[in-house]
DNA sequence: CATGAATGAGTTTTCATTCAT
DNA sequence: GATGAATGAAAACTCATTCAT
């Protein structure tokens, strides 16, 4: 159930290749991490497909071929970005739901979700914009599993709140989760550029989500 | 304020081309409409960039070159899809806000938004997934204007509700609009596949949005 | 057991692609056949890997990218060459072993093998020189099967000769087949260039093979 | 007639390089020999072109760049493999043809040829599979000469047998040599893997070659 | 001796688009 | 309207080789 990075496997030439089959995760190095970060920015800004490896290399001040010293493929770069994101998200969520009552748990999940917006802006953006394309590639099948794991945690938290009589019983948990998740993550498209700060945004959302638009 | 289709203008090689000049709306024909619909499905499923004209042609049972008897370019196909959507949406919204109080108006806007999900599933999907790319193209600048027009209608409705003491005054109208719009449209990714029906979905959303998750 | 051409399947982008999935064999056309023949010459002369698609295109007087209008990949070109060869060889062999006694059958098999040298010089050359590389690719696994089919025909013929008391019983059929086959095909490397004609070569080989070097 | 290793000469960029000039045989070392052996295995398994220096380095547990402390180039590795082979083969052949009559001489040449199959499996495999490519490189011109020397020895032996009335006079010596040589060496492709042992194989071949398939 | 990073020139492949028939 | 063939520009990727540390 460990969402290990896929980086490094699935070489095309099916014959003999072996190249970094051992451990699992790619051989982290400072240089490599730096390149991943540069690529992430570009992927977020222009989209995965629309970003060329040349652009990534240009950004790093090297030639495009030189990128392949560090990565197997363009896909393996985005793989690293996305798997990092899910690894962190799952760990944070797991810690969150083990403490406090349903209200605290749900609040924590929401806050974590908002909290990922900045550090993982690129990953979330890519997930929003390019998932439709990436999901078609075998290599990213594991992300579907990761997302399901996250969903389960939310649903559990929502159910607890309903059982405790805190949350409305007529809410369909899965639907509610998706609504909240998408509502939060979709803001990645504009919250940053338009000068809202995360704190205010989080507060606003929690407010509306928990208490509605109507005046009671 | 007429958002005319852009089809046919702004050819990249502006040199010799002539082909249906003067913004005259594209020559509608059954065959053409059919092709647009096939393309829309593919754009929605695989993304605009990832869909090749060959795939569109394949789907139609013709060769890719033959598509160019009907369209100037691949872009002009998606243009048609998107402009149709905005034309309809704006018309519907305009009609909606001219009737009833703020509560009815907002409810109508929400219902219209949900109502576009099925007939314009492809357009909305493309807008979600490929907008980041498309917005970079001059030809689609008019869509930014269209979206702003829509935003204005929503904001007006929300402000009316606040002024009437119906909606909470602490809500930032623009933020609230985006939150609602994104929340609704982002469902295009799963509402269809996972067996929820539009009616139930709309009700659920309105419920949560207007009255919150908490029990009052 | 049909050695169908592999051309056209195994597209890389595993997602949605379909492109010519129907029938099986690629859509034959004169142009296409011509290109295959040009490529075959080059593959034979320089080896599969050492021949670039640019060279093939140059030979045809088109640009390298234009080749992909006709073929999926460089591999699919060589696939066509090799599968054609085995299809013909198997058909000819099958017809041969159904007539006459073991002596005639073996003679016919040898003659067929020699007979392929000229029309299928390229295929045999590629098989000699590049098989080591090609066999590593999944796409060519079917050739292993084809070769086994051929082997079986020979072994059956040899066994019949032994059972009939015509051929020496101490000969290991499989070993003998391979020795003969390789002996014949390996000549593809020089018989052509050095001015031997097929007739004389065949006679010489049959002579030595059947009656040995020694004087009796 | 000394077949000196070519290692080190004929660098492609003849401009600035200097590195171990003057045909002086390469500096043998245990480490170096080990690397050559590893490379030989890979060349035999995958072909010269298809084997990357990275794979060789991987096999040795070092980085590809480090290989260049031991070798000038990838070509110089295969050069070492091939020249070793021919040096040994010629020496052995020379010794063989100086003793006994034509029958013994031819038998000895055949036995030597078979005897090289195991210790020089890689060299012979490369010669079979990659010669077509390598022969195009200036650096390997000397191998053509070496092969001609070997051919001459065989032809001399065969002619002696014919002159002595032992071998059939109608056999063309050069053709016969090539047939025998290729017949033997081509087995390098399967004799090893399929469980035949050299002894049995040699006996079988000599048997068939000298006395034919027919019963006399 | 080895590493780690990079070069540079090449390779195969992709695909929207054009156009004579 | 459609075909079939091609263009052309760019894409991802490969890999032997170099070299400062």
């Amino acid at each position: 159930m460990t969402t290990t990075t896929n980086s490094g496997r699935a070489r095309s030439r099916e014959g003999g290749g072996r190249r970094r089959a051992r451990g699992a995760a790619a051989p982290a190095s400072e240089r490599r991490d730096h390149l991943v970060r540069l690529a992430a920015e570009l992927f977020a800004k222009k989209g995965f497909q629309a970003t060329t490896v040349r652009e990534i290399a240009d950004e790093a001040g090297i030639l495009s071929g030189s990128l392949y010293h560090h990565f197997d493929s363009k896909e393996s770069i985005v793989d690293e970005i996305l798997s990092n994101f899910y690894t962190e998200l799952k760990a944070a969520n797991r810690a969150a739901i083990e403490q406090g009552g349903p209200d605290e748990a749900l609040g924590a999940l929401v806050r974590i979700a908002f909290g990922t917006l900045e550090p993982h802006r690129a990953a979330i953006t890519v997930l929003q914009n390019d998932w439709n394309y990436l999901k078609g590639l075998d290599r990213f099948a594991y992300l579907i599993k990761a997302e399901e794991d996250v969903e389960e945690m939310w649903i559990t938290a929502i159910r607890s709140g309903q059982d405790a009589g805190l949350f409305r019983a007529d809410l369909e948990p899965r639907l509610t989760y998706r609504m909240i998740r998408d509502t939060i993550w979709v803001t990645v498209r504009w919250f940053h550029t338009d000068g809202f700060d995360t704190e205010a945004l989080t507060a606003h959302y929690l407010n509306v989500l928990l208490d509605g638009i109507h005046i009671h």
Side-chain angles (χ1 to χ4, degrees), chain A residues 194-211:
Chain A
D194 292 22
F196 296 117
D197 69 300
T198 314
E199 291 307 312
L201 193 68
T202 310
H204 190 278
Y205 265 66
L206 269 179
N207 207 327
V208 175
L209 270 175
L210 295 178
D211 291 311

Side-chain angles (χ1 to χ4, degrees), chain A residues 18-92:
Chain A
R18 181 168 45 98
R19 210 182 286 199
R20 193 185 322 130
R22 348 159 196 232
S29 84
E30 263 184 58
R31 186 77 179 116
R32 187 188 165 93
D33 284 353
H34 181 232
L35 294 172
V36 170
R37 244 168 290 131
L38 291 180
E41 273 324 298
L42 287 168
F43 290 158
K45 190 165 76 186
K46 315 196 33 169
F48 175 72
Q49 292 174 89
T51 302
T52 69
V53 292
R54 232 204 298 268
E55 285 166 336
I56 301 171
D58 276 1
E59 204 71 19
I62 58 178
L63 291 176
S64 68
S66 306
L67 273 180
Y68 290 81
H69 181 65
H70 302 276
F71 306 98
D72 269 10
S73 64
K74 190 179 156 189
E75 281 173 19
S76 82
I77 304 180
V78 83
D79 194 335
E80 198 148 323
I81 295 166
L82 298 180
S83 69
N84 281 350
F85 167 60
Y86 267 110
T87 303
E88 265 197 39
L89 176 61
K90 282 173 63 176

Side-chain angles (χ1 to χ4, degrees), chain A residues 7 20 60 66 136 153 165 177:
Chain A
S7 316
R20 193 185 322 130
S66 306
M153 298 193 223
Y177 157 62

Side-chain angles (χ1 to χ4, degrees), chain A residues 116-152:
Chain A
T116 58
L117 281 177
E118 219 178 319
H120 292 280
R121 197 176 62 82
I124 295 169
T125 304
V126 167
L127 245 15
Q128 297 280 329
N129 297 329
D130 300 293
W131 176 240
N132 214 15
Y133 168 72
L134 296 174
K135 72 164 183 240
L137 310 180
D138 282 350
R139 129 168 254 161
F140 295 105
Y142 78 97
L143 286 176
I144 295 171
K145 177 73 182 68
E147 172 54 27
E148 282 170 0
D149 290 348
V150 171
E151 184 171 82
E152 222 178 274

